Amino acid sequence: MTDPDLIERFTSLYDEHYPRVYSYAVSRAGRQIADEVVSDVFLIAWRRLGEVPDHALPWLLVVARNVIANEVRAAARRESLAAELRSWQSGTVPDIADQVSERQAVLRALTALSDDDRELLTLVAWHGLSPRDAAQVLGCSAATYFVRLHRARRRLEQAVSAGAGGPGRRQYVAAP
Amino acid sequence: MRKAIPMNTMEMLAQARPASLDPRPDPARRASDIAAALSVGQPEPAATAPATRRHHARRTRAVRPSRKLAAGAGLTALVTATVAAFVVVSANHGQVTVDHGRANADRGQVIGKASLRTAVLAALDTASGQIGYVRTTTSANGRTDGVAESWTYPWLPQTGQEVRNLTRIHDPRHLSDPGDYAETETIYRQPAAANTTVKAEIIEVLFKQRKWYEQQALWSGPQQAQSPSYIRQQIAAGQFTVAGKAEIDGRQSIKLIIHEPADPGLQLDGTLWVDATTYLPLRSVIKSVGTRPGGQLDLTTVNDMSYLAPTAANLAKVQISIPAGFTRESLP
């Protein structure tokens, strides 16, 4: 493969997957550092272009997951993610569906879950991955993913029910 | 009455997806991300185990330019440095040979149209916030009949952005008289579509006549074929053919034939040369063949382009200065 071919493949990869890598980065680390995460992901993708499979999204999200987990940026991530989750809770994110209280209830409940549960749920619900791809991102088997997803759904339903009982909101603190 | 079936948790969650997860279109970000990646050199062979990914993240971090640099004035230099590693040096049969200065100094490679398109678009987006300087020479049947210089800021504006243009036109009848020229400052907001008439504030100074006037008027915008928006549109749409290499004022360049839209009654032939190092447009030539009473009329427009950083000194070039003692004229 010639170098221009590599450049073309890389730019195609970027154009096709940038929005979803960005979405994942925002949901896991917040907007404040999402751009940095995306830049790192695609730097790594360029350096390891030969390893990137044709079905690239799960691979890219695995890289994003590890970039986010990098302890060097842990403090910045906590702050950024907490700000992001607060914006979901408060409904300050512009969205045409803002008026729907049910939607707000779900978002508030989601922010009350653990990082792991939130990731399990949103990989499929928000990022459009198939369960098999989501399992790949999380580094587990599809069967294990389904079990964990089932539990996470239960916890989300409980959190929604708990939140529906009154106007009080849980204050989210991002997990270290 | 039947009770509505409640949505399941996953459906509710899917519908609750915040809009903040969607990135906003940002060409500069795209250009900087791609430029940053390419600047680290060739990809490695596919042999690295996933376990080493943290190591990669740290190693590449050291060479990645900061977000501030990528978003700011240093972006041009970044892209220049990036594409410098993929310098075009020779061409044949519509494909251009590149010398990968960093990794493959002795090995010529062929750059395809798609790669060239990507590089030119990245360069255009990178330079969008600069001041574009264009020197335009027009000629009819081989005889120069007009010279104009223009400074535009920003060079490639976003829709709705305020644009300042200063154009200095030398009177075609008195080209030998350097004092016989007019300057026009035009301020308008970039329209969403090309070839749209916009409201503009216009000040014109006639230096030979020592007078000036001011008006608010509808303005038809820059001539399409020389506007950067048009160039970008044609490149993005792939409406060009790579025609080889050329030297423009001592600079290596790539020659592109721009496919002009069919225009009944007027045959257009557009050629664009982009710098082989920065991939920014250097020169465009538009030739048109029409008819006039008594024969054919061959019109040629040559635009020589360069780019200035938007420093205070350079921005002053986009602002008209009315010399003391000049008379303000009323418009007829």
Side-chain angles (χ1 to χ4, degrees):
Chain A
M1 186 183 274
T2 63
D3 298 329
D5 289 335
L6 289 175
I7 297 171
E8 281 186 44
R9 185 176 177 221
F10 175 72
T11 51
S12 298
L13 188 77
Y14 185 93
D15 288 343
E16 185 179 350
H17 296 297
Y18 164 73
R20 292 170 81 177
V21 174
Y22 177 85
S23 295
Y24 178 79
V26 171
S27 68
R28 296 274 294 133
R31 272 168 286 176
Q32 291 174 16
I33 64 167
D35 283 342
E36 300 287 334
V37 171
V38 173
S39 291
D40 277 1
V41 169
F42 282 100
L43 273 172
I44 293 167
W46 167 247
R47 294 301 303 263
R48 301 168 64 190
L49 199 56
E51 293 175 52
V52 180
D54 290 340
H55 182 49
L57 185 63
W59 189 94
L60 290 168
L61 296 190
V62 168
V63 174
R65 196 164 190 263
N66 284 283
V67 167
I68 290 167
N70 185 339
E71 66 276 16
V72 172
R73 65 173 85 237
R77 177 194 167 246
R78 275 198 298 274
E79 186 185 319
S80 174
L81 180 59
E84 188 66 34
L85 296 180
R86 278 195 298 273
S87 80
W88 297 357
Q89 287 179 321
S90 62
T92 54
V93 177
D95 192 301
I96 54 170
D98 263 351
Q99 304 305 314
V100 182
S101 60
E102 198 171 57
R103 174 186 180 282
Q104 282 302 318
V106 172
L107 282 176
R108 282 200 296 273
L110 187 70
T111 61
L113 299 183
S114 69
D115 269 5
D116 288 347
D117 279 353
R118 209 166 35 246
E119 185 181 22
L120 273 161
L121 293 161
T122 56
L123 277 173
V124 172
W126 287 359
H127 306 303
L129 268 67
S130 68
R132 176 177 292 184
D133 287 347
Q136 186 184 336
V137 172
L138 297 173
C140 63
S141 69
T144 304
Y145 173 77
F146 276 116
V147 171
R148 291 171 62 186
L149 179 66
H150 176 75
R151 290 174 183 158
R153 281 177 61 171
R154 285 277 168 266
R155 284 191 280 270
L156 178 64
E157 285 162 5
Q158 287 166 5
V160 171
S161 300
R169 293 173 179 175
R170 293 190 196 192
Q171 185 63 42
Y172 176 80
V173 178
Chain B
M1 193 172 148
R2 221 171 62 173
K3 197 174 176 181
I5 300 169
M7 280 193 293
N8 75 35
T9 320
M10 294 306 282
E11 287 172 345
M12 285 168 55
L13 184 59
Q15 292 196 4
R17 185 181 186 278
S20 63
L21 299 185
D22 297 324
R24 293 178 182 165
D26 185 352
R29 252 203 61 76
R30 179 187 187 280
S32 66
D33 276 344
I34 292 175
L38 302 191
S39 67
V40 304
Q42 291 288 94
E44 293 167 354
T48 316
T52 62
R53 55 197 164 215
R54 284 194 181 184
H55 170 68
H56 273 282
R58 286 183 184 150
R59 185 149 57 90
T60 53
R61 193 178 172 79
V63 295
R64 180 174 55 78
S66 73
R67 177 67 47 216
K68 283 180 184 170
L69 170 66
L75 197 55
T76 303
L78 168 64
V79 172
T80 302
T82 300
V83 296
F86 302 90
V87 179
V88 175
V89 292
S90 65
N92 51 56
H93 305 300
Q95 287 190 307
V96 181
T97 306
V98 295
D99 176 6
H100 297 261
R102 188 174 301 176
N104 302 296
D106 303 323
R107 184 159 55 93
Q109 298 287 345
V110 177
I111 186 169
K113 179 179 169 182
S115 296
L116 190 60
R117 172 185 171 276
T118 300
V120 173
L121 289 178
L124 288 170
D125 291 338
T126 300
S128 61
Q130 300 210 334
I131 300 168
Y133 168 73
V134 181
R135 180 181 170 86
T136 302
T137 308
T138 57
S139 59
N141 289 340
R143 183 179 172 190
T144 300
D145 64 355
V147 176
E149 297 171 279
S150 83
W151 292 259
T152 304
Y153 175 77
W155 187 65
L156 194 57
Q158 302 280 331
T159 299
Q161 195 172 3
E162 183 180 279
V163 186
R164 284 176 176 267
N165 171 273
L166 191 144
T167 299
R168 180 179 297 157
I169 301 172
H170 299 268
D171 189 321
R173 295 163 301 178
H174 307 113
L175 287 177
S176 58
D177 181 354
D180 194 355
Y181 65 96
E183 281 186 356
T184 305
E185 181 191 70
T186 309
I187 304 172
Y188 61 97
R189 294 212 171 265
Q190 178 70 10
N195 292 331
T196 307
T197 302
V198 292
K199 282 184 185 173
E201 293 175 34
I202 299 171
I203 297 175
E204 183 162 11
V205 180
L206 306 175
F207 284 84
K208 188 77 172 179
Q209 293 80 5
R210 297 174 60 82
K211 60 187 181 185
W212 67 281
Y213 63 84
E214 183 177 15
Q215 64 172 326
Q216 289 195 336
L218 291 174
W219 188 58
S220 59
Q223 288 179 19
Q224 188 193 51
Q226 71 184 57
S227 80
S229 301
Y230 176 72
I231 292 172
R232 193 188 189 291
Q233 173 194 316
Q234 294 301 94
I235 296 291
Q239 295 294 314
F240 67 94
T241 304
V242 183
K245 67 161 189 173
E247 198 171 290
I248 300 289
D249 295 335
R251 297 167 74 172
Q252 286 288 334
S253 69
I254 307 163
K255 183 180 177 182
L256 311 176
I257 304 298
I258 302 294
H259 304 163
E260 302 285 351
D263 187 347
L266 190 65
Q267 181 190 333
L268 278 174
D269 175 16
T271 309
L272 178 73
W273 287 263
V274 297
D275 190 297
T277 303
T278 66
Y279 290 97
L280 283 170
L282 283 178
R283 175 177 291 173
S284 72
V285 173
I286 300 115
K287 290 184 177 178
S288 59
V289 180
T291 55
R292 63 174 178 177
Q296 181 175 288
L297 182 62
D298 295 328
L299 297 171
T300 303
T301 303
V302 179
N303 300 300
D304 286 310
M305 295 169 254
S306 57
Y307 309 90
L308 306 170
T311 61
N314 287 334
L315 285 170
K317 298 177 196 291
V318 193
Q319 207 152 21
I320 204 159
S321 173
I322 303 166
F326 278 36
T327 309
R328 180 173 182 174
E329 294 277 310
S330 311
L331 286 167

PDB file of all heavy atoms in Angstrom, chain A residues 134-165:
ATOM      1  N   ALA A 134     -20.444  -3.811  21.295  1.00  0.00           N
ATOM      2  CA  ALA A 134     -20.337  -3.232  22.640  1.00  0.00           C
ATOM      3  C   ALA A 134     -19.504  -4.152  23.534  1.00  0.00           C
ATOM      4  O   ALA A 134     -18.665  -3.687  24.320  1.00  0.00           O
ATOM      5  CB  ALA A 134     -21.722  -3.014  23.232  1.00  0.00           C
ATOM      6  N   ALA A 135     -19.719  -5.455  23.399  1.00  0.00           N
ATOM      7  CA  ALA A 135     -18.939  -6.412  24.184  1.00  0.00           C
ATOM      8  C   ALA A 135     -17.456  -6.303  23.841  1.00  0.00           C
ATOM      9  O   ALA A 135     -16.589  -6.367  24.711  1.00  0.00           O
ATOM     10  CB  ALA A 135     -19.449  -7.829  23.919  1.00  0.00           C
ATOM     11  N   GLN A 136     -17.182  -6.091  22.555  1.00  0.00           N
ATOM     12  CA  GLN A 136     -15.787  -5.948  22.126  1.00  0.00           C
ATOM     13  C   GLN A 136     -15.146  -4.712  22.760  1.00  0.00           C
ATOM     14  O   GLN A 136     -14.000  -4.737  23.206  1.00  0.00           O
ATOM     15  CB  GLN A 136     -15.732  -5.850  20.598  1.00  0.00           C
ATOM     16  CG  GLN A 136     -14.306  -5.858  20.056  1.00  0.00           C
ATOM     17  CD  GLN A 136     -14.276  -5.668  18.545  1.00  0.00           C
ATOM     18  OE1 GLN A 136     -15.260  -5.956  17.846  1.00  0.00           O
ATOM     19  NE2 GLN A 136     -13.163  -5.170  18.034  1.00  0.00           N
ATOM     20  N   VAL A 137     -15.911  -3.633  22.791  1.00  0.00           N
ATOM     21  CA  VAL A 137     -15.385  -2.396  23.385  1.00  0.00           C
ATOM     22  C   VAL A 137     -15.066  -2.614  24.863  1.00  0.00           C
ATOM     23  O   VAL A 137     -14.048  -2.146  25.372  1.00  0.00           O
ATOM     24  CB  VAL A 137     -16.386  -1.240  23.211  1.00  0.00           C
ATOM     25  CG1 VAL A 137     -15.942   0.003  23.992  1.00  0.00           C
ATOM     26  CG2 VAL A 137     -16.560  -0.895  21.731  1.00  0.00           C
ATOM     27  N   LEU A 138     -15.948  -3.349  25.539  1.00  0.00           N
ATOM     28  CA  LEU A 138     -15.769  -3.563  26.977  1.00  0.00           C
ATOM     29  C   LEU A 138     -14.808  -4.710  27.282  1.00  0.00           C
ATOM     30  O   LEU A 138     -14.479  -4.946  28.443  1.00  0.00           O
ATOM     31  CB  LEU A 138     -17.130  -3.852  27.623  1.00  0.00           C
ATOM     32  CG  LEU A 138     -18.139  -2.704  27.516  1.00  0.00           C
ATOM     33  CD1 LEU A 138     -19.504  -3.136  28.027  1.00  0.00           C
ATOM     34  CD2 LEU A 138     -17.656  -1.488  28.286  1.00  0.00           C
ATOM     35  N   GLY A 139     -14.413  -5.418  26.260  1.00  0.00           N
ATOM     36  CA  GLY A 139     -13.466  -6.506  26.467  1.00  0.00           C
ATOM     37  C   GLY A 139     -14.063  -7.722  27.138  1.00  0.00           C
ATOM     38  O   GLY A 139     -13.418  -8.391  27.941  1.00  0.00           O
ATOM     39  N   CYS A 140     -15.327  -8.003  26.824  1.00  0.00           N
ATOM     40  CA  CYS A 140     -15.955  -9.186  27.409  1.00  0.00           C
ATOM     41  C   CYS A 140     -16.704  -9.948  26.315  1.00  0.00           C
ATOM     42  O   CYS A 140     -16.817  -9.463  25.177  1.00  0.00           O
ATOM     43  CB  CYS A 140     -16.904  -8.805  28.547  1.00  0.00           C
ATOM     44  SG  CYS A 140     -18.296  -7.797  28.030  1.00  0.00           S
ATOM     45  N   SER A 141     -17.240 -11.104  26.671  1.00  0.00           N
ATOM     46  CA  SER A 141     -17.994 -11.871  25.682  1.00  0.00           C
ATOM     47  C   SER A 141     -19.384 -11.263  25.538  1.00  0.00           C
ATOM     48  O   SER A 141     -19.861 -10.522  26.420  1.00  0.00           O
ATOM     49  CB  SER A 141     -18.116 -13.327  26.125  1.00  0.00           C
ATOM     50  OG  SER A 141     -18.956 -13.397  27.259  1.00  0.00           O
ATOM     51  N   ALA A 142     -20.040 -11.595  24.433  1.00  0.00           N
ATOM     52  CA  ALA A 142     -21.396 -11.085  24.214  1.00  0.00           C
ATOM     53  C   ALA A 142     -22.329 -11.577  25.310  1.00  0.00           C
ATOM     54  O   ALA A 142     -23.198 -10.833  25.788  1.00  0.00           O
ATOM     55  CB  ALA A 142     -21.898 -11.522  22.842  1.00  0.00           C
ATOM     56  N   ALA A 143     -22.143 -12.823  25.741  1.00  0.00           N
ATOM     57  CA  ALA A 143     -23.011 -13.374  26.789  1.00  0.00           C
ATOM     58  C   ALA A 143     -22.837 -12.583  28.083  1.00  0.00           C
ATOM     59  O   ALA A 143     -23.810 -12.230  28.754  1.00  0.00           O
ATOM     60  CB  ALA A 143     -22.675 -14.846  27.011  1.00  0.00           C
ATOM     61  N   THR A 144     -21.583 -12.318  28.424  1.00  0.00           N
ATOM     62  CA  THR A 144     -21.323 -11.537  29.644  1.00  0.00           C
ATOM     63  C   THR A 144     -21.921 -10.142  29.522  1.00  0.00           C
ATOM     64  O   THR A 144     -22.500  -9.607  30.481  1.00  0.00           O
ATOM     65  CB  THR A 144     -19.797 -11.434  29.875  1.00  0.00           C
ATOM     66  OG1 THR A 144     -19.249 -12.747  29.928  1.00  0.00           O
ATOM     67  CG2 THR A 144     -19.480 -10.677  31.142  1.00  0.00           C
ATOM     68  N   TYR A 145     -21.786  -9.580  28.324  1.00  0.00           N
ATOM     69  CA  TYR A 145     -22.333  -8.241  28.120  1.00  0.00           C
ATOM     70  C   TYR A 145     -23.831  -8.227  28.380  1.00  0.00           C
ATOM     71  O   TYR A 145     -24.348  -7.326  29.044  1.00  0.00           O
ATOM     72  CB  TYR A 145     -22.028  -7.753  26.704  1.00  0.00           C
ATOM     73  CG  TYR A 145     -22.723  -6.445  26.394  1.00  0.00           C
ATOM     74  CD1 TYR A 145     -22.226  -5.246  26.896  1.00  0.00           C
ATOM     75  CD2 TYR A 145     -23.890  -6.418  25.642  1.00  0.00           C
ATOM     76  CE1 TYR A 145     -22.877  -4.044  26.648  1.00  0.00           C
ATOM     77  CE2 TYR A 145     -24.547  -5.219  25.387  1.00  0.00           C
ATOM     78  CZ  TYR A 145     -24.032  -4.040  25.888  1.00  0.00           C
ATOM     79  OH  TYR A 145     -24.677  -2.858  25.658  1.00  0.00           O
ATOM     80  N   PHE A 146     -24.550  -9.250  27.862  1.00  0.00           N
ATOM     81  CA  PHE A 146     -25.998  -9.284  28.039  1.00  0.00           C
ATOM     82  C   PHE A 146     -26.381  -9.366  29.518  1.00  0.00           C
ATOM     83  O   PHE A 146     -27.323  -8.719  29.966  1.00  0.00           O
ATOM     84  CB  PHE A 146     -26.619 -10.461  27.261  1.00  0.00           C
ATOM     85  CG  PHE A 146     -26.866 -10.128  25.821  1.00  0.00           C
ATOM     86  CD1 PHE A 146     -26.201 -10.784  24.803  1.00  0.00           C
ATOM     87  CD2 PHE A 146     -27.776  -9.128  25.481  1.00  0.00           C
ATOM     88  CE1 PHE A 146     -26.425 -10.462  23.479  1.00  0.00           C
ATOM     89  CE2 PHE A 146     -28.002  -8.806  24.159  1.00  0.00           C
ATOM     90  CZ  PHE A 146     -27.330  -9.473  23.152  1.00  0.00           C
ATOM     91  N   VAL A 147     -25.623 -10.162  30.262  1.00  0.00           N
ATOM     92  CA  VAL A 147     -25.910 -10.283  31.702  1.00  0.00           C
ATOM     93  C   VAL A 147     -25.702  -8.933  32.388  1.00  0.00           C
ATOM     94  O   VAL A 147     -26.540  -8.455  33.163  1.00  0.00           O
ATOM     95  CB  VAL A 147     -24.999 -11.362  32.341  1.00  0.00           C
ATOM     96  CG1 VAL A 147     -25.138 -11.345  33.859  1.00  0.00           C
ATOM     97  CG2 VAL A 147     -25.354 -12.737  31.791  1.00  0.00           C
ATOM     98  N   ARG A 148     -24.596  -8.311  32.058  1.00  0.00           N
ATOM     99  CA  ARG A 148     -24.295  -7.023  32.700  1.00  0.00           C
ATOM    100  C   ARG A 148     -25.293  -5.954  32.257  1.00  0.00           C
ATOM    101  O   ARG A 148     -25.684  -5.081  33.037  1.00  0.00           O
ATOM    102  CB  ARG A 148     -22.858  -6.614  32.348  1.00  0.00           C
ATOM    103  CG  ARG A 148     -21.822  -7.513  33.009  1.00  0.00           C
ATOM    104  CD  ARG A 148     -20.420  -7.252  32.511  1.00  0.00           C
ATOM    105  NE  ARG A 148     -19.968  -5.897  32.802  1.00  0.00           N
ATOM    106  CZ  ARG A 148     -18.825  -5.391  32.365  1.00  0.00           C
ATOM    107  NH1 ARG A 148     -18.025  -6.118  31.601  1.00  0.00           N
ATOM    108  NH2 ARG A 148     -18.491  -4.181  32.675  1.00  0.00           N
ATOM    109  N   LEU A 149     -25.698  -6.016  30.987  1.00  0.00           N
ATOM    110  CA  LEU A 149     -26.673  -5.044  30.479  1.00  0.00           C
ATOM    111  C   LEU A 149     -27.998  -5.206  31.213  1.00  0.00           C
ATOM    112  O   LEU A 149     -28.640  -4.209  31.593  1.00  0.00           O
ATOM    113  CB  LEU A 149     -26.865  -5.235  28.973  1.00  0.00           C
ATOM    114  CG  LEU A 149     -27.885  -4.301  28.310  1.00  0.00           C
ATOM    115  CD1 LEU A 149     -27.393  -2.862  28.369  1.00  0.00           C
ATOM    116  CD2 LEU A 149     -28.133  -4.703  26.847  1.00  0.00           C
ATOM    117  N   HIS A 150     -28.388  -6.453  31.417  1.00  0.00           N
ATOM    118  CA  HIS A 150     -29.652  -6.720  32.104  1.00  0.00           C
ATOM    119  C   HIS A 150     -29.630  -6.093  33.505  1.00  0.00           C
ATOM    120  O   HIS A 150     -30.571  -5.418  33.922  1.00  0.00           O
ATOM    121  CB  HIS A 150     -29.879  -8.243  32.186  1.00  0.00           C
ATOM    122  CG  HIS A 150     -31.090  -8.627  32.946  1.00  0.00           C
ATOM    123  ND1 HIS A 150     -32.361  -8.487  32.430  1.00  0.00           N
ATOM    124  CD2 HIS A 150     -31.235  -9.125  34.214  1.00  0.00           C
ATOM    125  CE1 HIS A 150     -33.243  -8.880  33.346  1.00  0.00           C
ATOM    126  NE2 HIS A 150     -32.569  -9.290  34.432  1.00  0.00           N
ATOM    127  N   ARG A 151     -28.537  -6.273  34.192  1.00  0.00           N
ATOM    128  CA  ARG A 151     -28.422  -5.715  35.547  1.00  0.00           C
ATOM    129  C   ARG A 151     -28.414  -4.184  35.510  1.00  0.00           C
ATOM    130  O   ARG A 151     -29.032  -3.526  36.356  1.00  0.00           O
ATOM    131  CB  ARG A 151     -27.145  -6.237  36.219  1.00  0.00           C
ATOM    132  CG  ARG A 151     -27.225  -7.720  36.551  1.00  0.00           C
ATOM    133  CD  ARG A 151     -25.901  -8.223  37.082  1.00  0.00           C
ATOM    134  NE  ARG A 151     -25.946  -9.656  37.339  1.00  0.00           N
ATOM    135  CZ  ARG A 151     -24.870 -10.418  37.402  1.00  0.00           C
ATOM    136  NH1 ARG A 151     -23.658  -9.904  37.231  1.00  0.00           N
ATOM    137  NH2 ARG A 151     -24.978 -11.713  37.657  1.00  0.00           N
ATOM    138  N   ALA A 152     -27.710  -3.659  34.540  1.00  0.00           N
ATOM    139  CA  ALA A 152     -27.642  -2.193  34.439  1.00  0.00           C
ATOM    140  C   ALA A 152     -29.010  -1.599  34.136  1.00  0.00           C
ATOM    141  O   ALA A 152     -29.376  -0.536  34.658  1.00  0.00           O
ATOM    142  CB  ALA A 152     -26.635  -1.804  33.356  1.00  0.00           C
ATOM    143  N   ARG A 153     -29.769  -2.296  33.298  1.00  0.00           N
ATOM    144  CA  ARG A 153     -31.123  -1.826  32.986  1.00  0.00           C
ATOM    145  C   ARG A 153     -31.986  -1.811  34.238  1.00  0.00           C
ATOM    146  O   ARG A 153     -32.753  -0.878  34.468  1.00  0.00           O
ATOM    147  CB  ARG A 153     -31.763  -2.728  31.927  1.00  0.00           C
ATOM    148  CG  ARG A 153     -31.302  -2.431  30.531  1.00  0.00           C
ATOM    149  CD  ARG A 153     -31.894  -3.390  29.538  1.00  0.00           C
ATOM    150  NE  ARG A 153     -33.353  -3.330  29.496  1.00  0.00           N
ATOM    151  CZ  ARG A 153     -34.083  -3.960  28.587  1.00  0.00           C
ATOM    152  NH1 ARG A 153     -33.500  -4.698  27.665  1.00  0.00           N
ATOM    153  NH2 ARG A 153     -35.383  -3.876  28.594  1.00  0.00           N
ATOM    154  N   ARG A 154     -31.851  -2.862  35.019  1.00  0.00           N
ATOM    155  CA  ARG A 154     -32.621  -2.930  36.265  1.00  0.00           C
ATOM    156  C   ARG A 154     -32.277  -1.731  37.148  1.00  0.00           C
ATOM    157  O   ARG A 154     -33.151  -1.081  37.727  1.00  0.00           O
ATOM    158  CB  ARG A 154     -32.303  -4.235  37.011  1.00  0.00           C
ATOM    159  CG  ARG A 154     -32.952  -5.446  36.401  1.00  0.00           C
ATOM    160  CD  ARG A 154     -34.418  -5.598  36.893  1.00  0.00           C
ATOM    161  NE  ARG A 154     -35.136  -6.593  36.115  1.00  0.00           N
ATOM    162  CZ  ARG A 154     -35.897  -6.335  35.046  1.00  0.00           C
ATOM    163  NH1 ARG A 154     -36.047  -5.081  34.617  1.00  0.00           N
ATOM    164  NH2 ARG A 154     -36.509  -7.288  34.399  1.00  0.00           N
ATOM    165  N   ARG A 155     -30.995  -1.466  37.265  1.00  0.00           N
ATOM    166  CA  ARG A 155     -30.574  -0.364  38.142  1.00  0.00           C
ATOM    167  C   ARG A 155     -31.063   0.978  37.580  1.00  0.00           C
ATOM    168  O   ARG A 155     -31.433   1.877  38.332  1.00  0.00           O
ATOM    169  CB  ARG A 155     -29.047  -0.375  38.304  1.00  0.00           C
ATOM    170  CG  ARG A 155     -28.569  -1.466  39.259  1.00  0.00           C
ATOM    171  CD  ARG A 155     -27.099  -1.307  39.614  1.00  0.00           C
ATOM    172  NE  ARG A 155     -26.222  -1.817  38.572  1.00  0.00           N
ATOM    173  CZ  ARG A 155     -25.764  -3.077  38.512  1.00  0.00           C
ATOM    174  NH1 ARG A 155     -26.112  -3.953  39.431  1.00  0.00           N
ATOM    175  NH2 ARG A 155     -24.959  -3.456  37.550  1.00  0.00           N
ATOM    176  N   LEU A 156     -31.071   1.097  36.254  1.00  0.00           N
ATOM    177  CA  LEU A 156     -31.574   2.337  35.661  1.00  0.00           C
ATOM    178  C   LEU A 156     -33.068   2.495  35.945  1.00  0.00           C
ATOM    179  O   LEU A 156     -33.536   3.584  36.319  1.00  0.00           O
ATOM    180  CB  LEU A 156     -31.327   2.337  34.145  1.00  0.00           C
ATOM    181  CG  LEU A 156     -31.858   3.566  33.406  1.00  0.00           C
ATOM    182  CD1 LEU A 156     -31.133   4.840  33.858  1.00  0.00           C
ATOM    183  CD2 LEU A 156     -31.699   3.402  31.883  1.00  0.00           C
ATOM    184  N   GLU A 157     -33.807   1.385  35.801  1.00  0.00           N
ATOM    185  CA  GLU A 157     -35.254   1.446  36.072  1.00  0.00           C
ATOM    186  C   GLU A 157     -35.514   1.824  37.526  1.00  0.00           C
ATOM    187  O   GLU A 157     -36.397   2.641  37.820  1.00  0.00           O
ATOM    188  CB  GLU A 157     -35.890   0.088  35.748  1.00  0.00           C
ATOM    189  CG  GLU A 157     -36.036  -0.148  34.250  1.00  0.00           C
ATOM    190  CD  GLU A 157     -36.236  -1.623  33.890  1.00  0.00           C
ATOM    191  OE1 GLU A 157     -36.357  -2.463  34.811  1.00  0.00           O
ATOM    192  OE2 GLU A 157     -36.251  -1.916  32.692  1.00  0.00           O
ATOM    193  N   GLN A 158     -34.717   1.252  38.412  1.00  0.00           N
ATOM    194  CA  GLN A 158     -34.887   1.592  39.836  1.00  0.00           C
ATOM    195  C   GLN A 158     -34.581   3.068  40.075  1.00  0.00           C
ATOM    196  O   GLN A 158     -35.276   3.756  40.824  1.00  0.00           O
ATOM    197  CB  GLN A 158     -33.964   0.718  40.688  1.00  0.00           C
ATOM    198  CG  GLN A 158     -34.428  -0.731  40.799  1.00  0.00           C
ATOM    199  CD  GLN A 158     -33.343  -1.652  41.352  1.00  0.00           C
ATOM    200  OE1 GLN A 158     -32.270  -1.205  41.735  1.00  0.00           O
ATOM    201  NE2 GLN A 158     -33.633  -2.937  41.397  1.00  0.00           N
ATOM    202  N   ALA A 159     -33.547   3.540  39.406  1.00  0.00           N
ATOM    203  CA  ALA A 159     -33.168   4.943  39.600  1.00  0.00           C
ATOM    204  C   ALA A 159     -34.237   5.872  39.042  1.00  0.00           C
ATOM    205  O   ALA A 159     -34.525   6.921  39.624  1.00  0.00           O
ATOM    206  CB  ALA A 159     -31.821   5.214  38.925  1.00  0.00           C
ATOM    207  N   VAL A 160     -34.823   5.476  37.917  1.00  0.00           N
ATOM    208  CA  VAL A 160     -35.903   6.283  37.345  1.00  0.00           C
ATOM    209  C   VAL A 160     -37.086   6.303  38.308  1.00  0.00           C
ATOM    210  O   VAL A 160     -37.662   7.361  38.579  1.00  0.00           O
ATOM    211  CB  VAL A 160     -36.338   5.731  35.960  1.00  0.00           C
ATOM    212  CG1 VAL A 160     -37.608   6.437  35.481  1.00  0.00           C
ATOM    213  CG2 VAL A 160     -35.232   5.893  34.935  1.00  0.00           C
ATOM    214  N   SER A 161     -37.446   5.145  38.834  1.00  0.00           N
ATOM    215  CA  SER A 161     -38.563   5.060  39.765  1.00  0.00           C
ATOM    216  C   SER A 161     -38.293   5.901  41.009  1.00  0.00           C
ATOM    217  O   SER A 161     -39.159   6.633  41.496  1.00  0.00           O
ATOM    218  CB  SER A 161     -38.806   3.609  40.198  1.00  0.00           C
ATOM    219  OG  SER A 161     -39.087   2.833  39.064  1.00  0.00           O
ATOM    220  N   ALA A 162     -37.085   5.790  41.519  1.00  0.00           N
ATOM    221  CA  ALA A 162     -36.733   6.553  42.721  1.00  0.00           C
ATOM    222  C   ALA A 162     -36.806   8.047  42.442  1.00  0.00           C
ATOM    223  O   ALA A 162     -37.297   8.825  43.271  1.00  0.00           O
ATOM    224  CB  ALA A 162     -35.331   6.173  43.183  1.00  0.00           C
ATOM    225  N   GLY A 163     -36.371   8.435  41.276  1.00  0.00           N
ATOM    226  CA  GLY A 163     -36.385   9.863  40.916  1.00  0.00           C
ATOM    227  C   GLY A 163     -37.778  10.380  40.691  1.00  0.00           C
ATOM    228  O   GLY A 163     -38.063  11.558  40.910  1.00  0.00           O
ATOM    229  N   ALA A 164     -38.695   9.501  40.266  1.00  0.00           N
ATOM    230  CA  ALA A 164     -40.063   9.932  39.972  1.00  0.00           C
ATOM    231  C   ALA A 164     -40.842  10.257  41.234  1.00  0.00           C
ATOM    232  O   ALA A 164     -41.869  10.919  41.189  1.00  0.00           O
ATOM    233  CB  ALA A 164     -40.799   8.842  39.190  1.00  0.00           C
ATOM    234  N   GLY A 165     -40.360   9.822  42.390  1.00  0.00           N
ATOM    235  CA  GLY A 165     -41.073  10.048  43.630  1.00  0.00           C
ATOM    236  C   GLY A 165     -41.054  11.483  44.117  1.00  0.00           C
ATOM    237  O   GLY A 165     -41.873  11.881  44.929  1.00  0.00           O
TER     238      GLY A 165
END
